[in-house]
Amino acid sequence: MEERGTILPIFYEVDPSHVRHQRGSFAEAFQEHEEKFGEGNKEVEGWRDALTKVASLAGWTSEDYR
């Protein structure tokens, strides 16, 4: 993400706070990944960190546009 420079997050039919805090369907998906790869898996933790970081950036949500 840092190597490319500009990131423009688009949140399609999802609340950015659910992505940022891994709630709702994101929580379910991460639970499945942790069961599959093991809790504390570095790759899964990297995905969590990346989603938290990108969801903290200013972006667009599909609810705001048609």
Side-chain angles (χ1 to χ4, degrees), residues 11-60:
F11 301 99
Y12 184 74
E13 295 186 5
V14 65
D15 186 316
S17 70
H18 289 185
V19 178
R20 187 178 313 111
H21 301 291
Q22 286 98 46
R23 292 189 293 222
S25 62
F26 285 88
E28 295 169 13
F30 273 107
Q31 180 65 37
E32 290 176 20
H33 287 310
E34 287 176 342
E35 288 172 7
K36 181 176 181 181
F37 296 108
E39 195 168 326
N41 179 280
K42 288 186 180 198
E43 189 172 25
V44 175
E45 291 302 316
W47 297 337
R48 281 187 182 277
D49 293 343
L51 285 174
T52 299
K53 187 181 282 189
V54 82
S56 297
L57 300 174
W60 292 278

